């Protein structure tokens, strides 16, 4: 009973924090896919080394395919080790070259260690300027973006990946394609 009460209190606090960040999630400065001016914004907190995030990726693709009026915002939450942070930095650097979602997709499908060598290969295969990416990945600006994402997740009580925000609802953990699509329809 105590745990249920604590979870309810955490959820209420997270929903209050969500109201504070609603405008932030609308920013065009954030990495996103779908309709820039979509009527529903889905926010995903994820880690490139998270198995459930990889499992959720086809669900996100299906949502984007089905609903042309949704915007999916990607919030880096590299909590599963140093390679998670490295991959997040490179993805943010791909955003600067206008190919965030392509790089994100490639990373979500990639099996193997996300070290600099494999990230360079992915970037090269996507036609990105690899040297520029390597330099940008280490910039303070990109570290600040990731820090902001981590700060928001902590502020909202999101401790694990994946986590989704759809409208005014927060879903912690993997929810599946049907639930994701239905939550968008319901919001």
């Amino acid at each position: 009973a105590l745990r249920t009460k604590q979870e309810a209190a955490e959820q209420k606090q997270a929903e209050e924090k969500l109201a504070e960040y609603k405008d932030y999630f609308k920013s065009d400065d954030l990495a996103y896919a779908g309709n820039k001016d979509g009527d529903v914004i889905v926010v995903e907190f994820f880690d490139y080394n998270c198995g459930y995030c990889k499992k959720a990726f086809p669900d996100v693709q299906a949502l984007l395919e089905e609903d042309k009026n949704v915007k999916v915002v990607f919030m880096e939450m590299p909590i599963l080790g140093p390679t998670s942070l490295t991959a997040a930095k490179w993805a943010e650097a791909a955003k600067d070259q206008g190919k965030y979602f392509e790089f994100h997709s490639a990373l979500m499908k990639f099996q193997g260690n996300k070290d600099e060598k494999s990230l360079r290969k992915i970037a090269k295969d996507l036609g990105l300027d690899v040297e520029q990416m390597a330099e940008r990945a280490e910039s303070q600006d990109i570290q600040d973006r990731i820090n902001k994402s981590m700060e928001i997740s902590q502020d909202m009580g999101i401790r694990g990946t994946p986590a989704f925000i759809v409208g005014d609802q927060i879903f912690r953990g993997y929810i599946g394609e049907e639930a994701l699509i239905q939550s968008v329809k319901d919001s």
Side-chain angles (χ1 to χ4, degrees):
L2 177 61
R3 184 174 166 186
T4 303
K5 188 176 180 179
Q6 286 174 325
E7 287 173 359
E10 284 178 9
Q11 184 69 12
K12 184 176 180 348
Q13 181 181 359
E15 288 169 3
E16 289 170 2
K17 290 289 182 184
L18 177 56
E20 290 178 31
Y21 292 114
K22 267 211 183 293
D23 287 339
Y24 179 77
F25 292 138
K26 291 177 184 175
S27 170
D28 290 338
D29 294 337
L30 300 175
Y32 72 91
N35 186 337
K36 178 181 157 204
D37 301 312
D39 60 353
V40 176
I41 295 176
V42 174
V43 179
E44 179 186 12
F45 290 87
F46 69 94
D47 183 305
Y48 286 112
N49 286 323
C50 166
Y52 282 102
C53 296
K54 287 180 175 286
K55 187 176 178 180
F57 181 65
D59 304 343
V60 171
Q61 287 179 302
L63 171 66
L64 289 167
E65 193 66 35
E66 179 167 314
D67 188 338
K68 300 298 181 197
N69 212 13
V70 71
K71 177 180 182 180
V72 178
V73 174
F74 300 99
M75 300 294 287
E76 309 282 351
M77 195 172 158
I79 57 175
L80 298 174
T83 59
S84 293
L85 179 58
T86 302
K89 287 178 174 182
W90 276 71
E92 286 292 322
K95 176 187 171 294
D96 291 350
Q97 292 187 35
K99 288 202 174 183
Y100 178 87
F101 192 64
E102 293 86 343
F103 195 80
H104 175 80
S105 300
L107 277 177
M108 282 301 187
K109 295 172 188 170
F110 182 75
Q111 301 297 321
N113 192 18
K114 290 161 199 72
D115 56 17
E116 188 166 334
K117 182 181 177 186
S118 59
L119 296 171
R120 281 177 171 275
K121 182 178 180 344
I122 291 168
K124 184 178 182 215
D125 291 348
L126 292 172
L128 292 160
D129 181 332
V130 178
E131 294 311 315
Q132 182 185 2
M133 276 186 74
E135 187 178 315
R136 285 290 297 137
E138 295 307 315
S139 71
Q140 188 60 49
D141 173 51
I142 284 182
Q143 185 62 57
D144 290 347
R145 285 189 228 168
I146 293 169
N147 290 346
K148 178 72 173 175
S149 180
M150 294 293 290
E151 178 186 307
I152 291 169
S153 68
Q154 289 170 354
D155 204 21
M156 295 183 69
I158 296 171
R159 294 183 193 81
T161 57
F164 294 92
I165 298 170
V166 183
D168 294 328
Q169 289 192 291
I170 299 169
F171 301 94
R172 290 172 172 81
Y174 176 74
I175 61 173
E177 180 181 331
E178 278 184 39
L180 182 61
I181 291 171
Q182 190 59 49
S183 66
V184 170
K185 288 177 181 174
D186 292 346
S187 54

